[in-house]
């Protein structure tokens, strides 16, 4: 996030007056997690690329600045990004930019594959966990790169990457994407086994294929990449954001509303819609990329365990937990993907939720109502979960920590306001 935008996010709060049912339609934006990796993927190409359906987010601005520092020429108009990576001028990603955006580590695979060298600072941990990158590094070494870490920077060299059979110890989304990008320009065939199956991995494969890469099996546990010497220009439409869609499903559910999400791929939300149905909501996909949620009155508790796709997404754990605070009966939520992703719990408790945590397990006893309170978001999805809880709480909730929210949601309060929510962004007193 640039300094003025960051200052604005840090010096404002969201005020939400709960209890108003939502109604109408909301258009879901392109996927943040896809857009970020596709932008890095454009580094593979020696011709201009165009990305469409790019969400308007602070993280996209951050990635734009990193790519510009490497020599990519970028033009942005509404939801389109034109990237011209023809003449790269640097293979060193600057620490001051990388440290602000973990996803910038994605530059390592494409830079190494195309330029034979990449120097990218370690992305470091964040509020939700340590987030190491040893699976990425081990895979790059198996592709024939020399990789070492010095003074916090990952140095990678390879005059020509060579295809290899790589087993990922864990189906890491980032490692699968890094290795897939690196392998597109490697000599020979690469097989990624135990690969991540997330829709964003499929989107990256489709994007690379639209530039001439030879990739099969994306979306399954085994991805095969046959290296090609170079990639050509493309014009590519980014997949809808399943996590933003899930967020609006929770907003509709917690307020017991009837709303329609437009521009979604309902199959990407199967684990989430299955749980919503189980606890008492009606979900109706339509033929035109729409998904309607309707309430049947009360909702019950359930058990959730976060897992790699197609399991329940960790990115929607905090949001579903917000819904479960108001369920009839008790629930158990187990976070297995990240070691520290329950930062929303104390804030939900401040709003009157009954949640007990032991290790990575939260036990939630449904309460009849939540009360508005001043709360602070600790990470992106935790902040969104507080906003969802606030929509159903009695009175006013004031949410700070908007620098997290603004990283990942395009026009968040406007979209909710268009659905009828009472929500305002206001400057803090100090600002
Ligand atoms: C991506 C998403 C993030 C989502 C996550 C899991 C992007 C930009 N971010 O993050 O929103 O929450 O997938 O769906 O796409 N791990 C290791 N070693 C490694 C790599 C990962 O131990 O080398 C661990 C991580 O610390 C974490 C788990 O594996 O505990 C999952 O991480 P991973 O799938 O890599 O998530 P990201 O790609 O970082």
């Amino acid at each position: 996030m640039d300094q003025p935008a960051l200052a604005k996010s840090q010096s404002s709060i969201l005020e939400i007056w709960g209890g108003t049912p939502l109604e109408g339609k909301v258009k879901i934006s392109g996927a943040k997690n896809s857009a970020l990796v596709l932008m890095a993927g454009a580094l593979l190409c020696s011709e201009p690329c165009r990305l469409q359906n790019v969400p308007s987010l602070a993280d996209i601005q951050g990635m734009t600045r990193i790519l510009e520092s490497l020599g990519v020429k970028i033009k942005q108009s509404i939801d389109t990004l034109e990237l011209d990576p023809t003449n790269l001028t640097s293979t060193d990603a600057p620490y001051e930019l990388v440290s602000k955006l973990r996803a910038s580590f994605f530059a390592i695979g494409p830079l190494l594959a195309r330029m034979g060298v990449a120097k990218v600072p370690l992305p470091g941990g964040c509020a939700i966990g340590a987030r190491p990158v040893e699976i990425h590094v081990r895979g790059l070494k198996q592709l024939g790169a020399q990789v070492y870490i010095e003074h916090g920077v990952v140095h990678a060299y390879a005059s020509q990457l060579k295809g290899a059979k790589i087993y990922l110890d864990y189906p890491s989304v980032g490692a699968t994407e890094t290795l897939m990008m690196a392998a597109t320009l490697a000599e020979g065939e690469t097989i990624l086994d135990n690969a991540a199956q997330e829709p964003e991995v499929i989107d990256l494969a489709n994007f690379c294929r639209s530039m001439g890469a030879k990739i099969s099996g994306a979306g399954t546990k085994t991805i095969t990449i046959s290296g090609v010497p170079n990639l050509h220009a493309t014009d590519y439409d980014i997949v809808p954001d399943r996590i933003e869609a899930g967020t609006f499903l929770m907003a509709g559910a917690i307020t017991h509303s009837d709303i329609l999400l437009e521009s979604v791929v309902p199959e990407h939300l199967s684990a989430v819609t299955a749980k919503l149905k189980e606890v008492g909501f009606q979900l109706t996909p339509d033929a035109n990329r729409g998904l309607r949620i309707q309430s049947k009155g009360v909702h019950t508790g359930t058990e959730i365990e976060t897992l790699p796709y197609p399991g329940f997404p960790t990115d929607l754990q905090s949001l579903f937990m917000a819904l479960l605070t108001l369920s009839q009966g008790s629930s158990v939520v187990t976070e297995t993907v990240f070691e520290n992703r329950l930062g929303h719990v104390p804030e939900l408790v401040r709003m009157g939720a009954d949640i007990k945590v032991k290790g990575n397990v939260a036990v939630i006893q449904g309460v009849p109502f939540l009360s508005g309170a001043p709360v602070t978001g600790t990470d992106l999805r935790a902040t969104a979960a507080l906003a969802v809880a606030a929509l159903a709480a009695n009175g006013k909730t004031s949410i700070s920590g908007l620098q997290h929210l603004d990283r990942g949601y395009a026009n968040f309060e406007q979209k909710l306001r268009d659905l009828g929510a009472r929500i305002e962004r206001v400057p803090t007193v100090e600002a």
Side-chain angles (χ1 to χ4, degrees):
M1 202 181 294
D2 61 29
Q3 287 310 317
L6 179 63
K8 197 171 155 217
S9 296
Q10 284 176 332
S11 61
S12 51
I13 56 168
L14 270 189
E15 290 187 344
I16 300 178
W17 287 264
T20 312
L22 307 180
E23 61 174 333
K25 301 173 184 173
V26 56
K27 186 173 181 303
I28 301 305
S29 302
K32 168 181 88 77
N33 287 350
S34 215
L36 290 170
V37 70
L38 266 59
M39 287 174 75
L43 288 166
L44 287 164
C45 188
S46 14
E47 294 178 359
C49 304
R50 181 189 291 166
L51 291 176
Q52 314 226 38
N53 201 26
V54 181
S56 172
L57 302 171
D59 272 9
I60 299 293
Q61 302 307 326
M63 191 57 123
T64 298
R65 258 178 291 285
I66 285 159
L67 295 182
E68 283 174 341
S69 77
L70 300 173
V72 182
K73 297 195 172 62
I74 303 184
K75 278 194 215 145
Q76 188 170 11
S77 57
I78 314 177
D79 64 352
T80 302
L81 274 183
E82 298 197 32
L83 303 114
D84 184 354
T86 311
N87 298 308
L88 297 184
T89 51
S90 168
T91 50
D92 295 13
Y95 172 75
E96 59 282 10
L97 298 178
V98 173
S99 59
K100 295 194 179 83
L101 177 62
R102 283 189 53 80
S104 52
F105 192 71
F106 284 135
I108 196 165
L111 278 180
L112 176 64
R114 181 164 158 215
M115 309 297 284
V117 52
K119 292 181 201 160
V120 183
L122 278 167
C126 69
I128 62 175
R131 304 184 83 172
V133 288
E134 85 286 356
I135 303 175
H136 311 52
V137 168
R138 206 176 305 134
L140 292 174
K141 284 182 179 169
Q142 286 178 268
L143 290 172
Q146 269 193 309
V147 189
Y148 62 91
I149 298 168
E150 197 173 75
H151 305 302
V153 176
V154 183
H155 298 244
Y157 301 91
S159 51
Q160 173 64 62
L161 292 173
K162 299 261 188 338
K165 190 163 172 25
I166 300 171
Y167 177 83
L168 282 75
D169 287 344
Y170 182 91
S172 154
V173 177
T176 302
E177 293 171 336
T178 290
L179 299 175
M180 186 199 293
M181 289 189 281
T184 57
L185 297 181
E187 199 177 272
E189 186 178 87
T190 297
I191 297 173
L192 301 179
D193 217 355
N194 198 29
Q197 303 173 76
E198 269 70 0
E200 295 76 24
V201 171
I202 304 178
D203 210 32
L204 174 64
N206 288 340
F207 170 65
C208 291
R209 284 164 46 174
S210 76
M211 298 191 289
K214 292 200 166 59
I215 303 174
S216 61
T220 73
K221 282 178 177 296
T222 306
I223 303 175
T224 304
I225 305 122
S226 296
V228 294
N230 46 50
L231 298 179
H232 56 70
T234 188
D235 191 337
Y236 190 84
D237 218 348
I238 291 170
V239 74
D241 195 316
R242 65 194 167 98
I243 306 302
E244 188 198 14
T247 301
F248 280 96
L249 286 179
M250 299 312 153
I254 203 166
T255 52
H256 287 275
S257 307
D258 178 351
I259 60 169
L260 177 69
L261 276 56
E262 294 181 319
S263 300
V264 291
V265 183
E267 307 86 77
H268 291 172
L269 286 153
S270 297
V272 179
T273 51
K275 280 289 163 194
L276 282 169
K277 285 179 192 166
E278 182 193 316
V279 302
F281 295 92
Q282 189 172 325
L283 279 296
T284 318
D286 72 28
N288 206 16
R289 287 193 152 196
L291 182 60
R292 181 176 178 188
I293 180 163
Q294 292 165 284
S295 166
K296 295 190 213 154
V298 292
H299 64 277
T300 58
T302 187
E303 293 195 3
I304 285 179
E305 181 172 280
T306 63
L307 288 168
Y309 191 86
F312 191 94
T314 172
D315 284 354
L316 289 174
Q317 174 260 109
S318 58
L319 289 130
F320 212 103
M321 193 186 297
L323 174 65
L324 294 175
T325 61
L326 289 172
S327 69
Q328 230 175 36
S330 58
S331 302
V332 180
V333 172
T334 308
E335 171 59 54
T336 75
V337 179
F338 289 104
E339 63 271 28
N340 188 24
R341 206 168 197 182
L342 295 171
H344 43 285
V345 169
E347 302 305 290
L348 289 172
V349 168
R350 192 193 285 278
M351 296 174 73
D354 179 349
I355 309 174
K356 307 237 171 348
V357 172
K358 194 159 189 192
N360 63 339
V361 179
V363 177
I364 303 126
Q365 189 61 49
V367 293
F369 62 88
L370 296 175
S371 315
V375 288
T376 303
T378 48
D379 64 67
L380 169 56
R381 306 302 170 187
T383 314
L386 297 176
V388 162
L391 292 171
N394 292 342
K396 184 176 89 172
T397 299
S398 306
I399 305 174
S400 46
L402 302 189
Q403 71 277 16
H404 301 299
L405 191 77
D406 293 339
R407 283 186 37 229
Y409 288 92
N411 307 321
F412 185 69
E413 58 263 30
Q414 189 57 49
K415 287 185 181 186
L416 279 173
R417 207 176 297 126
D418 291 347
L419 288 169
R422 288 182 63 202
I423 176 168
E424 291 296 335
R425 183 178 292 241
V426 293
T428 53
V429 178
E430 303 87 71

